[in-house]
Amino acid sequence: MNWIKPDWPLPEGVHAATTLRGGGASSGAYASLNPAAHVDDDPDHVETNRKIIRDMLQLPAEPVWLQQVHGTRVIKADQAQGLEQADASFTDQPGTVCAVLTADCLPVLFCGDHGGVIAAAHAGWRGLQAGVIERTLSAMSCQKVSVWLGPAIGPEHFEVGEDVREAFVADNAKAAEAFKATGPGKWLADIYHLARLQLAELGVEQIHGGAYCTVSDAQRFYSYRRDGATTGRMASLIWRD
C-alpha cells in the first residue's frame, strides 16, 4: 500500500491519509509518487501522480494544494482562489480535500466537533514556532478537536542551532525538554514533542501519531534533510463525505 492510514479514531465519514513515495510515475531523485509541482519534477509526472493519488484514495475532488511558505496563514479550503499562499487550510464542507506537502516538516491533521470541521497544517519549525497550530485551531473554532501528527524528521536526526532552541524556549520554558545537546550551540530537536506541548497548552487532549522518521526511512519517505533540495514530497490529506 502506497499510503498510510492514520492510527486515529475518526468519526464516520471522515477520512485521512499520508502518501508514501512508491507507486508513482516520477523517476530519479523524485521516484516515484511525488505530487509536488514546485520541486522541478517533470510536470507531466506530477499530474500523473496526483491522478494516481486521487484514484488510490478515492478522493471526492482534487485536493486544495497550497503554496507553502513556512508561515501561519490559514485559508478556508472550499473558498480557495487558485493556488493560495498559506500553510494550513480548513473546511466545514463535505467533498473538499485539505492537503499539505512535506518532506521532513510536520504535517498536522485536525478533526473538530465530531467531524464537522477538518483541517491540515504544514508545520516546519518556523511555522510551528510562529503559531501555525494555534492559528489553525482558531480558524476552526471548534469546542473539541483531535489531531494526528504525520511523518516528519525524527528526534535523532533534527539537528538545529541555538537560535532555534532559544526561539521555542522564549515562548515556553517547557520547550527545553524537546532539545538534547550534541555540542557547542548544537541541539537535537524533537518536533513531535514541541507540537504536542503546544497542542496540550491549547487544550487539545486527543493527540495521535508522531512515531515516524522521514530521514531514517528512505524506502517510504522523501527527506529534504537526507537528500537535499532535489527530492519529492508526501501529501497528507483529510476530507469528509
Side-chain angles (χ1 to χ4, degrees):
M1 191 163 68
N2 295 315
W3 56 285
I4 292 172
K5 181 178 181 180
D7 182 15
W8 183 21
L10 288 169
E12 185 176 355
V14 178
H15 313 276
T18 291
T19 62
L20 301 177
R21 65 178 302 174
S26 296
S27 58
Y30 302 107
S32 64
L33 190 61
N34 167 51
H38 68 288
V39 296
D40 292 330
D41 192 2
D42 184 314
D44 290 338
H45 291 167
V46 172
E47 184 51 48
T48 298
N49 292 335
R50 290 184 173 188
K51 183 180 186 305
I52 289 170
I53 290 168
R54 289 196 302 270
D55 294 344
M56 177 176 72
L57 299 177
Q58 298 181 312
L59 297 178
E62 178 71 16
V64 178
W65 305 108
L66 306 174
Q67 183 185 349
Q68 299 168 191
V69 293
H70 299 277
T72 63
R73 183 172 182 242
V74 184
I75 66 163
K76 195 166 190 291
D78 51 278
Q79 297 176 356
Q81 302 294 316
L83 183 65
E84 296 219 27
Q85 188 176 99
D87 283 271
S89 68
F90 76 101
T91 187
D92 56 3
Q93 297 299 306
T96 298
V97 184
C98 297
V100 289
L101 296 168
T102 60
D104 289 339
C105 290
L106 176 64
V108 187
L109 301 182
F110 304 76
C111 180
D113 289 353
H114 308 290
V117 185
I118 54 174
H122 160 245
W125 78 261
R126 290 177 180 83
L128 188 64
Q129 190 272 329
V132 70
I133 286 179
E134 183 176 9
R135 291 284 296 272
T136 304
L137 289 169
S138 177
M140 293 175 72
S141 189
C142 293
Q143 293 297 313
K144 188 173 183 180
V145 177
S146 71
V147 165
W148 183 71
L149 306 177
I153 187 169
E156 297 305 313
H157 293 276
F158 191 22
E159 187 173 72
V160 300
E162 184 68 35
D163 58 328
V164 177
R165 181 181 182 275
E166 286 181 354
F168 280 98
V169 173
D171 290 338
N172 187 340
K174 294 179 183 177
E177 303 166 0
F179 294 88
K180 183 169 68 176
T182 60
K186 296 292 184 181
W187 304 82
L188 285 175
D190 186 340
I191 200 167
Y192 289 126
H193 188 110
L194 291 167
R196 288 191 185 98
L197 178 62
Q198 286 191 10
L199 287 161
E201 301 245 328
L202 291 164
V204 178
E205 298 177 354
Q206 299 296 318
I207 307 170
H208 304 270
Y212 305 93
C213 178
T214 49
V215 177
S216 62
D217 192 345
Q219 183 174 354
R220 295 199 299 168
F221 301 125
Y222 297 106
S223 168
Y224 190 95
R225 180 67 64 107
R226 182 189 65 234
D227 300 328
T230 307
T231 191
R233 300 290 188 272
M234 289 82 68
S236 292
L237 316 99
I238 186 165
W239 67 101
R240 54 186 286 248
D241 296 337

